[in-house]
Amino acid sequence: MPPRLYSYLLPLVLFTGALSAESPELPLKVAIASALEHNIGLRIAAYEPANARDSVEIEDAQFDPSFFANTSIARGQSALSSSSETDSRAASIGVDQRLATGATVTLDSDLSRSSSNSTGLNPDYGADVGLSIRQPLLKDAGATVNLAPLARAKVNAERSLYELRSDVLDLVLATEIAYWNLAYARADRALIASSLALAENLREENVERERLGLVTPLEVLQAEAEVLNQQESVIQADNVIADAEDTLRRVMGLSDFLETITDDVIVSALPEQMEPLRPIDVVVKDTVLNDIDAKVQERLIEVQRINHMLAQEDTRPDLDLTGGLSYLGREETGSRAYRGVSDADGYAWSLGLEVSVPWGFREARARARQAERSVEQATWQLYDIKQEKALAARNAWRSASTGLKRIEVTRAAMILNEEAFEQERARYGSGLVAYRSVLEAQRDYDRAKSNYLGSLIETLRASVRLSRVDGTLLQRNGLDWDAVEPYTQLNSPTVELDASLLNNTP
């Protein structure tokens, strides 16, 4: 295991060993490492590059030699009164080799034995060693067309790797978003809890004021209603936290949802300071240059070009040059027959041309036109992808930029609403205003705090999505492709699947 990967996984090991003990804070870096290591979706996606690499080997194996051998025996007797009996046996062995030029070369040797009760050479052994070749001259001629399927398989293998990298980035994005969503849910719950504590404090004050005759029962009822409203908000916030925890557990891949889960997932607090944005033109340029989806499409265009070339090849007639040379030997024993072969006692050679021309090439030409249009279509799709990603970069940059400004505004509004609430509470304590004014000021303050918290999470989400678009997501989380690559290898799962999960049985 690379040292960098080991140092990255070490916190994960410590986390998984200690999570159930005291539920320590889960660092974002460890959550991402867990997702890369255990996420089921990424495991499934890792099969595609493995299959694509095997496809390359399959195409390359088309040029492996093929060995063959056969043997036979036959006996016969004529139906005439002076019947003759024959006994013949034959065996052959050879090898076929396909060449990159499209030629097929065959080297073979035959040995036959025949015997009969008639006169003549008995037994009669015949042997031959021959070399034959079939070379296309038009269709399927040359290394370019014959190596095209292998080249296509290699391009598809590259494309599958880029698709897997895109899946990795999507997973890192989903993990970080889920992590900060949980942080936001916990922060929102803490905010509501503080509002509940404040509402309870005001209710106690109103109860005491009612006892002293300073307020009417209406103010007490309003205070009690506000406490109940805040308690309802706490219940809803707890449910949001539980959902956010399950979402994070799902992407991290460490939890079996068929089992009872009691541990809490504690994450870091939302950061209140965001990194400054790079200029928008730089972000758009990096997005277009580093976009993985565009690289996937570029490989698809190359595959379509190869398909077009192969389709064009099918519009040519078959014209094959055939040739062969065999040396023969015939004697009373097999060894002497092969000796005759080596002495070139007999030989046979052949040379010929074979032609096959489909009428009109209608099907082949139609497929060639389809392949040409597929190349054009894929090229337009690449242009559209680049346009879409540039637009996505601009939108994400504006969202993040707007969020940064909104953080400052909502922070100032929160401070002002806090001051307004404290002043209104003091005036209520002096009997200058009704409790309704305090209640409205408290709600305004709660709304201001919620707006500030919302601006933090929305800006953080926008920043994370922007880093996914412009290709800086790994760098943002202290990663690079060298560190991530081991996670994308197809390995056996560390935990075997439960059969009941596959059978839908408890």
Side-chain angles (χ1 to χ4, degrees):
M1 181 181 294
R4 186 184 314 179
L5 180 61
Y6 177 80
S7 63
Y8 197 77
L9 283 177
L10 181 58
L12 175 62
V13 176
L14 298 177
F15 163 68
T16 55
L19 180 60
S20 59
E22 299 179 358
S23 295
E25 181 178 293
L26 170 66
L28 173 61
K29 191 173 184 180
V30 175
I32 293 175
S34 174
L36 292 172
E37 180 72 13
H38 300 286
N39 182 265
I40 296 176
L42 187 59
R43 285 181 180 273
I44 295 172
Y47 282 89
E48 293 301 325
N51 288 337
R53 288 192 296 269
D54 280 341
S55 295
V56 174
E57 188 169 352
I58 289 171
E59 294 296 341
D60 194 30
Q62 304 303 312
F63 297 96
D64 290 346
S66 176
F67 296 91
F68 62 87
N70 60 75
T71 182
S72 63
I73 182 171
R75 290 183 179 181
Q77 177 178 314
S78 67
L80 299 177
S81 57
S82 56
S83 61
S84 62
E85 296 180 355
T86 60
D87 184 353
S88 61
R89 303 174 186 179
S92 64
I93 189 172
V95 59
D96 288 326
Q97 175 68 61
R98 182 187 173 196
L99 304 180
T101 61
T104 301
V105 180
T106 302
L107 175 65
D108 62 353
S109 175
D110 297 317
L111 177 63
S112 62
R113 176 189 183 278
S114 62
S115 62
S116 68
N117 56 5
S118 61
T119 59
L121 192 61
N122 194 22
D124 183 2
Y125 281 87
D128 73 79
V129 175
L131 179 69
S132 62
I133 186 171
R134 174 181 291 272
Q135 172 63 58
L137 300 180
L138 291 177
K139 180 183 175 182
D140 298 332
T144 301
V145 65
N146 285 281
L147 294 178
L150 177 59
R152 180 175 56 192
K154 291 181 178 179
V155 174
N156 274 326
E158 291 181 4
R159 182 162 66 102
S160 68
L161 287 176
Y162 280 116
E163 288 175 341
L164 181 59
R165 286 192 170 191
S166 180
D167 292 335
V168 168
L169 292 178
D170 288 342
L171 177 60
V172 174
L173 171 67
T175 304
E176 186 168 0
I177 292 292
Y179 185 92
W180 294 125
N181 282 347
L182 177 55
Y184 167 74
R186 289 197 176 281
D188 188 51
R189 204 271 186 199
L191 186 153
I192 297 172
S194 66
S195 298
L196 174 59
L198 180 59
E200 291 174 341
N201 181 265
L202 288 173
R203 181 189 60 184
E204 293 173 358
E205 288 184 9
N206 280 356
V207 170
E208 180 63 19
R209 286 173 178 272
E210 182 190 19
R211 189 183 67 81
L212 297 175
L214 300 177
V215 298
T216 66
L218 176 61
E219 277 82 1
V220 176
L221 291 176
Q222 290 175 334
E224 290 178 347
E226 183 63 18
V227 169
L228 293 175
N229 291 335
Q230 295 295 344
Q231 288 176 345
E232 179 188 4
S233 298
V234 168
I235 293 172
Q236 293 176 345
D238 287 335
N239 182 65
V240 172
I241 290 175
D243 289 343
E245 285 182 336
D246 280 351
T247 300
L248 183 57
R249 289 189 183 104
R250 172 63 174 168
V251 296
M252 289 174 60
L254 285 178
S255 299
D256 183 359
F257 292 100
L258 298 179
E259 303 292 338
T260 301
I261 301 175
T262 58
D263 299 324
D264 294 329
V265 180
I266 308 301
V267 296
S268 303
L270 285 175
E272 297 192 20
Q273 297 296 328
M274 305 289 175
E275 293 292 332
L277 298 178
R278 298 180 299 162
I280 187 171
D281 55 339
V282 176
V283 170
V284 172
K285 180 179 178 181
D286 286 348
T287 298
V288 175
L289 291 177
N290 302 320
D291 182 50
I292 289 185
D293 293 334
K295 295 182 185 298
V296 171
Q297 188 64 23
E298 289 170 356
R299 270 63 182 178
L300 179 60
I301 292 175
E302 187 62 27
V303 168
Q304 297 292 4
R305 287 173 177 167
I306 294 175
N307 290 339
H308 179 236
M309 181 192 67
L310 294 175
Q312 285 285 90
E313 189 69 17
D314 288 338
T315 63
R316 307 175 70 183
D318 287 299
L319 179 61
D320 295 348
L321 173 66
T322 62
L325 175 63
S326 299
Y327 287 99
L328 313 174
R330 186 177 181 187
E331 287 291 347
E332 294 181 348
T333 65
S335 59
R336 292 174 63 183
Y338 269 112
R339 190 177 301 117
V341 171
S342 62
D343 294 338
D345 290 346
Y347 68 90
W349 63 270
S350 64
L351 187 65
L353 287 174
E354 295 182 7
V355 63
S356 175
V357 183
W359 184 263
F361 292 98
R362 292 177 58 199
E363 178 184 357
R365 288 172 178 168
R367 293 187 182 279
R369 291 193 298 270
Q370 287 180 334
E372 183 178 10
R373 286 192 288 268
S374 295
V375 174
E376 295 176 357
Q377 182 185 39
T379 303
W380 278 108
Q381 288 172 343
L382 175 61
Y383 179 76
D384 186 58
I385 288 173
K386 290 181 178 292
Q387 288 288 324
E388 182 180 351
K389 289 306 176 71
L391 178 60
R394 293 171 62 87
N395 291 339
W397 188 93
R398 284 195 293 265
S399 295
S401 178
T402 301
L404 292 175
K405 297 174 183 177
R406 187 179 168 214
I407 288 174
E408 298 302 322
V409 172
T410 55
R411 181 187 289 119
M414 180 180 64
I415 295 173
L416 292 177
N417 276 276
E418 181 182 13
E419 294 177 356
F421 168 71
E422 293 297 339
Q423 291 180 13
E424 203 68 16
R425 186 176 182 181
R427 294 175 65 194
Y428 172 67
S430 301
L432 300 178
V433 296
Y435 175 70
R436 190 70 182 175
S437 297
V438 179
L439 191 58
E440 291 177 356
Q442 179 191 354
R443 291 173 178 174
D444 289 341
Y445 180 38
D446 290 342
R447 191 179 302 111
K449 290 188 290 184
S450 180
N451 288 340
Y452 174 63
L453 194 60
S455 68
L456 288 178
I457 185 60
E458 290 175 10
T459 304
L460 191 53
R461 289 170 183 159
S463 299
V464 176
R465 294 190 178 102
L466 177 60
S467 66
R468 169 65 177 94
V469 172
D470 67 10
T472 60
L473 182 61
L474 293 184
Q475 180 182 354
R476 170 190 177 90
N477 290 285
L479 287 169
D480 56 31
W481 286 115
D482 290 337
V484 172
E485 189 67 26
Y487 293 107
T488 62
Q489 302 303 312
L490 185 60
N491 298 317
S492 299
T494 55
V495 179
E496 296 183 358
L497 290 177
D498 189 347
S500 62
L501 180 63
L502 303 178
N503 298 329
N504 293 323
T505 58

